[in-house]
Amino acid sequence: MKLLAGPCVIESEENIFTIAKALEKYQEDATIDFYFKASFDKANRTSLDSFRGLGMEKGLEILQKVKDDFGYKIVTDVHESIQVEPVAKVVDMLQIPAFLCRQTDLLVACAKTDKEVNIKKGQFINPPDMRYSVMKVLKTRGCDEVSYENAQKHGIYLTERGSSFGYGNIVVDMRSLVIMREFAPVIFDATHSVQMPGALGGKTGGDSSMVPYLASAAAAVGVDGFFFETHFDPSCALSDGPNMVKLDELEKLIEKIKKIQAIK
């Protein structure tokens, strides 16, 4: 099982290392393929006044230190094609944000690297249409047939993070996990799936109490991995705090997921 976990954004080097240290148990777990996740820039914040991060240069410096000190594989977001080359020198997996999942130049730039590519499904996208995003990466890498096996071979993943349901709400249609898994390995992002966009007056809200239920349902349906944003104190997190899982609650949730998967 792949596990992508870490804070939403790099708030400071001290915070990152505190969280990274708390996640060591997953690196040591032979049943888990662990990736440390943190963003150097949150370019799609609701408000111009919202905290975005420390920027690419400082952010990559910190992620490299995490990689060197803990031996973690790293995943982070890229928002523009020009970011891909420098980011790929540090990370093991390039992540395409949901709002950019159809951005051809960005997908092609990521495909031209030797890194894994995680494409987050847009909140506005019909799940079957995500095959075309997968196709852009595969074709750039010299493969003309879209299939689960080919996507897996080329390190391409799709992440389900819910779909817009009216204004200010996101829901997860569990059918999308089955549909998208026909043509790519699927990771379930349980924390972004409980977001409530714009609910906090210029900021995104959320309901983290629903995370364990959605993660359990996804485990029962069948996925290839999970994505959790986590923090030692979500109430003071500078981005996405309302939908984060506390570090001391994540271990219990992972164990529950393992038990559900074992039934299958």
Side-chain angles (χ1 to χ4, degrees):
M1 174 179 75
K2 282 192 183 294
L3 174 62
L4 284 55
C8 177
V9 66
I10 300 172
E11 299 175 5
S12 68
E13 185 170 329
E14 180 183 6
N15 277 15
I16 281 291
F17 272 79
T18 298
I19 296 169
K21 179 67 177 175
L23 295 171
E24 275 190 302
K25 60 176 71 74
Y26 305 114
Q27 175 78 349
E28 296 165 358
D29 187 335
T31 68
I32 290 176
D33 184 15
F34 178 68
Y35 294 68
F36 182 79
K37 182 270 167 187
S39 297
F40 56 80
D41 179 26
K42 301 301 293 183
N44 57 355
R45 297 302 304 274
T46 304
S47 169
L48 185 62
D49 298 324
S50 295
F51 180 76
R52 287 182 53 169
L54 302 183
M56 186 170 70
E57 183 176 352
K58 182 62 176 177
L60 290 178
E61 178 186 318
I62 292 172
L63 290 175
Q64 184 66 60
K65 287 181 180 179
V66 170
K67 188 171 189 175
D68 293 342
D69 285 13
F70 295 96
Y72 295 161
K73 287 187 281 189
I74 304 293
V75 55
T76 198
D77 303 296
V78 285
H79 296 86
E80 301 177 77
S81 302
I82 197 171
Q83 295 177 339
V84 172
E85 184 177 351
V87 173
K89 293 177 181 178
V90 175
V91 308
D92 302 273
M93 179 185 283
L94 296 160
Q95 183 163 279
I96 308 293
F99 287 129
L100 300 175
C101 68
R102 293 176 58 175
Q103 203 75 3
T104 301
D105 289 347
L106 184 57
L107 289 163
V108 169
C110 289
K112 288 180 178 178
T113 72
D114 61 353
K115 304 301 179 180
E116 294 178 296
V117 181
N118 182 34
I119 311 169
K120 302 197 83 173
K121 179 182 79 55
Q123 303 92 320
F124 49 90
I125 293 284
N126 183 24
D129 289 344
M130 285 302 295
R131 72 173 61 244
Y132 301 109
S133 294
V134 173
M135 187 183 299
K136 291 175 183 180
V137 179
L138 279 174
K139 282 198 169 185
T140 303
R141 291 184 169 178
C143 179
D144 290 328
E145 183 182 351
V146 178
S147 69
Y148 179 98
E149 291 75 19
N150 285 338
Q152 186 178 51
K153 177 181 177 181
H154 288 274
I156 305 166
Y157 298 85
L158 294 176
T159 291
E160 169 60 53
R161 48 95 70 242
S163 299
S164 297
F165 189 72
Y167 297 109
N169 198 18
I170 287 175
V171 298
V172 178
D173 181 351
M174 291 293 165
R175 293 176 300 178
S176 69
L177 304 177
V178 180
I179 292 167
M180 293 194 300
R181 217 167 172 227
E182 293 177 1
F183 47 85
V186 171
I187 294 168
F188 181 64
D189 179 351
T191 44
H192 284 98
S193 292
V194 300
Q195 280 186 335
M196 296 176 181
L200 298 180
K203 295 182 180 180
T204 292
D207 182 3
S208 61
S209 70
M210 291 290 113
V211 170
Y213 300 103
L214 290 179
S216 297
V221 172
V223 290
D224 300 273
F226 289 85
F227 178 113
F228 295 104
E229 286 190 337
T230 185
H231 198 280
F232 52 83
D233 185 1
S235 69
C236 70
L238 299 180
S239 178
D240 280 359
N243 52 264
M244 281 187 179
V245 177
K246 287 186 69 174
L247 280 166
D248 58 7
E249 295 174 357
L250 183 59
E251 184 173 9
K252 181 180 178 181
L253 178 52
I254 296 296
E255 289 305 314
K256 183 178 182 181
I257 287 170
K258 285 184 177 182
K259 289 178 181 178
I260 294 171
Q261 290 178 321
I263 296 171
K264 300 185 69 181

